[in-house]
């Protein structure tokens, strides 16, 4: 169990994360979603004991990272695939890691084989492509067969085949009962690869839930078509917003299909269509983080 | 010993011997100590009978002279120590290291043990070789030293220890400064530039300060007989050890406080 407990981290005058508080559960893939600069990497660094929190703490099975006796056997992480000494071979890199946590060297060859870089195990990692480095990083994360896995932006630099491989890989790790925590700034990626999503923006917690819950909680609109749309419109006083799309179509915000249908029936209005418009996860994300994008796209007013 | 410390040492030993920079640094150390030693000894032998060299003969110490290559080789030793830690910060691999070994003090102890043990072995082998080669060059023309003379064996042993201590000093400087270039500048300043600056001071101040400079501590450690201007070899060793200890402790405390 990975727990982030009222965590804050301040760098000089920047509050990188602000009172984050959440749990990441085993058995599912949990996406950690936020725009660039929202504090995802900082949170992961604090979890890994690399950066000291200003307030609060992050715990792994109840312990802070620094107190773990054999950390690689409890947590595997891929934070930055290029954080390697380029002069060292892949096998020696993993052997040094294995030795530090008393993991047998046979395991090194097993994980190299598993991620598909056994053939270049004796090559210096300085010559590796980003994709190969990612695979080596994953091999390092799996070395101690840990119950908790952290990946920071793992799909960056992977080709489409690699992305598909890694998605299935996350699923299989979760199905083995492990805790899988994956950060991304890409909503579309999280929508397909995560079960649960934690959304942050500007270092603050925004929302959490399953992909379905997040979409459902978004402000839904209902498309209504009727010959008497004018009359119906005047009756929809309880709606938050009614937009006239054309002569016979309305877009209603803030009322369920049931409520609109019953209202129409009670007033003898025939409906030709009554369709809930599901917000895409992408729209939900944009909506949720709209205020929290640090370097957002403004619409500059061009001087004429 | 604590089994966890042993595994950290094992890990650091693998890291130490699997990068080219370590191998290059150690090769440079060996080549400079032996090569410059040979050049100095050959030059002395060739010019031993030169007119007016009588005064040189009075002060001649065949032990220290045969180890003269250390004046340059000590920078290779420092660089090996520095790069052991700064390369981790340069490449970002320190984050991978700390994920595996979150206990920073244990990591520093392991790095210190690996460096000190390796460099003591290599240092002793190379200084004994330089001494032996130097005496072989001198034989017949120039007075030679041998291990049954007072202080000679101890002087050569301390020369090897000096090399190992400078390497650990380099590690400590690297821990504090975290960049290779900056650390090498500071290391070079301590060993080479500081003596030049101190030289500008009035004699009354200069003599008091000079004996505390690391290079002069080294000279005191590997001179067979004590000299008036330097500490005795025992005091010099303790002073240098305390410098190394302070720098390592400061480096460790900073590492514990700073974000990786």
């Amino acid at each position: 169990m990975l727990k982030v407990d009222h965590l804050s981290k301040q760098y000089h005058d920047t509050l990188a994360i602000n009172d984050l508080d959440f749990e990441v559960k085993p058995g599912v893939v949990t996406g950690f979603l936020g725009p660039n600069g929202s504090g995802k990497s900082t949170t992961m660094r604090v979890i890994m004991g690399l950066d000291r929190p200003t307030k609060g703490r992050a715990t792994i099975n109840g312990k802070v990272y620094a107190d773990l006796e054999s950390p690689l056997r409890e947590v595997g992480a891929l934070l930055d695939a290029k954080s390697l000494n380029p002069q060292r071979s892949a096998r020696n890199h993993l052997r040094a890691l294995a030795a530090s946590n008393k993991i047998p060297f046979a395991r090194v060859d097993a994980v190299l084989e598993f991620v598909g870089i056994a053939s270049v195990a004796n090559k210096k990692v300085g010559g590796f492509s980003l994709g190969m480095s990612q695979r080596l990083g994953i091999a390092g994360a799996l070395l101690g067969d840990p119950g908790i896995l952290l990946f920071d932006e793992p799909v960056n630099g992977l080709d489409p085949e690699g992305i598909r491989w890694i998605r299935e890989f996350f699923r299989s790790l979760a199905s083995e009962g492990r805790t899988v925590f994956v950060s991304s700034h890409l909503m579309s990626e999280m929508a397909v690869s995560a079960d649960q999503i934690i959304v942050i923006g500007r270092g603050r917690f925004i929302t959490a839930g399953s992909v379905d819950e997040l979409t459902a909680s978004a402000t839904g609109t209902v498309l209504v078509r009727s010959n008497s749309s004018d009359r119906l419109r005047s009756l929809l006083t309880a709606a938050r917003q009614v937009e006239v799309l054309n002569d016979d179509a309305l877009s209603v915000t803030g009322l369920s299909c049931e409520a609109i249908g019953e209202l129409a029936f009670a007033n003898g209005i025939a409906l030709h269509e009554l369709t809930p418009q599901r917000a895409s996860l992408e729209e939900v994300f944009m909506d949720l983080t709209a205020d929290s994008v640090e370097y957002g796209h403004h619409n500059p007013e061009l001087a004429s | 010993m604590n089994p966890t410390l042993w595994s950290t040492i094992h890990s650091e030993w693998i890291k130490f011997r699997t990068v080219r920079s370590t191998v290059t640094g150690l090769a440079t150390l060996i080549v400079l100590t032996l090569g410059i030693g040979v050049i100095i000894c050959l030059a002395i032998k060739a010019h031993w009978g030169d007119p007016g060299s009588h005064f040189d003969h009075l002060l001649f110490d065949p032990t220290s002279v045969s180890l003269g290559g250390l004046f340059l080789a000590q920078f290779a030793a420092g660089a090996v120590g520095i790069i052991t830690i700064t390369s981790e910060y340069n490449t970002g691999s320190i984050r991978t290291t700390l994920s595996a070994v979150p206990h920073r003090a244990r990591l520093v102890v392991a790095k210190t043990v690996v460096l000190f043990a390796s460099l003591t072995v290599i240092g002793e082998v190379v200084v004994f070789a330089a001494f032996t080669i130097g005496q072989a060059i001198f034989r017949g023309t120039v007075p030679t030293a041998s291990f049954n003379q007072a202080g000679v064996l101890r002087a050569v042993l301390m020369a090897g220890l000096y090399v190992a201590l400078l390497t650990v000093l380099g590690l400590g400087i690297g821990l504090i400064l975290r960049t290779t270039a900056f650390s090498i500048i500071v290391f070079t300043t301590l060993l080479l530039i500081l003596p030049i600056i101190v030289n500008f001071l009035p004699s009354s101040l200069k003599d008091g300060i000079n004996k505390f400079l690391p290079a002069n501590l080294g000279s005191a450690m590997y001179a067979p007989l004590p000299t008036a201007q330097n500490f005795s070899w025992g005091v010099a060793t303790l002073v240098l050890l305390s410098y190394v200890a302070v720098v390592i402790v400061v480096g460790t405390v900073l590492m514990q406080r700073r974000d990786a």
Side-chain angles (χ1 to χ4, degrees), chain A residues 9-285:
Chain A
K9 174 67 187 177
Q10 181 138 18
Y11 295 108
H12 304 290
D13 50 357
T14 322
L15 194 55
I17 50 179
N18 187 354
D19 200 37
L20 282 185
D21 195 75
F22 59 81
E23 282 180 9
V24 185
K25 292 187 173 59
V28 288
V29 178
T30 304
F32 191 33
L33 184 67
N36 284 327
S38 57
K40 304 184 298 294
S41 298
T42 301
T43 307
M44 291 209 166
R45 279 201 302 272
V46 173
I47 293 170
M48 297 297 292
L50 298 172
D51 288 9
R52 291 155 63 94
T54 311
K55 271 192 210 133
R57 60 183 209 152
T59 54
I60 288 113
N61 303 325
K63 286 180 175 173
V64 296
Y65 198 89
D67 292 340
L68 298 177
E69 206 39 57
S70 278
L72 298 184
R73 293 174 186 272
E74 293 190 61
V75 186
L78 171 58
L79 298 193
D80 176 4
K82 281 288 178 188
S83 293
L84 299 163
N85 189 319
Q87 295 179 17
R88 201 171 279 126
S89 73
R91 178 175 278 121
N92 284 330
H93 166 72
L94 293 177
R95 283 189 168 197
L97 282 180
S100 69
N101 280 241
K102 282 188 246 133
I103 296 162
F105 285 171
R107 179 73 185 160
V108 167
D109 295 320
V111 293
L112 281 167
E113 195 69 49
F114 177 77
V115 300
I117 55 169
S119 60
V120 291
N122 293 325
K123 294 240 161 52
K124 296 200 181 339
V125 300
F128 279 20
S129 66
L130 183 54
M132 282 155 81
S133 301
Q134 295 276 34
R135 285 170 186 264
L136 176 57
I138 291 166
L142 292 176
L143 204 53
D145 196 18
I148 298 175
L149 289 130
L150 273 68
F151 299 94
D152 196 10
E153 302 276 0
V155 302
N156 282 3
L158 290 183
D159 52 21
E161 187 260 337
I163 292 175
R164 194 148 11 96
W165 178 80
I166 210 166
R167 280 179 197 154
E168 286 167 20
F169 169 61
F170 291 156
R171 292 259 176 241
S172 70
L173 288 173
S175 68
E176 290 162 4
R178 297 178 213 258
T179 303
V180 183
F181 191 44
V182 184
S183 84
S184 179
H185 65 284
L186 297 172
M187 187 72 230
S188 48
E189 181 53 40
M190 291 289 92
V192 288
S193 59
D195 306 303
Q196 292 286 317
I197 295 181
I198 294 166
V199 185
I200 66 166
R202 277 199 187 160
R204 282 176 172 281
F205 176 86
I206 293 179
T207 187
S210 69
V211 174
D212 288 344
E213 283 166 358
L214 287 187
T215 356
S217 72
T219 330
T221 59
V222 180
L223 175 69
V224 189
R225 291 160 72 85
S226 166
N227 275 342
S228 326
S229 66
D230 279 349
R231 196 155 72 85
L232 181 62
R233 192 181 154 204
S234 62
L235 294 165
L236 289 168
T237 47
R240 205 158 354 122
Q241 199 194 341
V242 180
E243 199 185 333
V244 181
L245 297 177
N246 55 45
D247 280 351
D248 65 348
L250 301 172
S251 172
V252 182
T253 309
L255 276 182
S256 66
C257 291
E258 291 81 353
I260 298 168
E262 278 165 26
L263 187 72
F265 180 74
N267 290 278
I269 298 170
L271 295 182
H272 299 163
E273 186 178 353
L274 184 62
T275 316
Q277 307 286 297
R278 260 170 76 91
S280 77
L281 203 47
E282 193 78 46
E283 287 163 343
V284 178
F285 177 55

Side-chain angles (χ1 to χ4, degrees), chain A residues 9 11 48-52 65-66 69 71 82-88 92 95-97 99-101 105, chain B residues 4 7 10-11 14-15 18-21 87 91-93 95-96 98-102 104 106 256-257 259-260:
Chain A
K9 174 67 187 177
Y11 295 108
M48 297 297 292
L50 298 172
D51 288 9
R52 291 155 63 94
Y65 198 89
E69 206 39 57
K82 281 288 178 188
S83 293
L84 299 163
N85 189 319
Q87 295 179 17
R88 201 171 279 126
N92 284 330
R95 283 189 168 197
L97 282 180
S100 69
N101 280 241
F105 285 171
Chain B
T4 328
S7 48
H10 183 196
S11 169
I14 294 172
K15 282 159 67 182
T18 55
V19 286
R20 201 179 49 229
S21 51
S87 70
T91 59
S93 61
R95 290 191 284 275
T96 311
L98 289 176
S99 326
V101 184
R104 274 120 168 108
R106 186 199 294 153
Q256 284 169 331
R257 289 190 180 174
D259 293 331

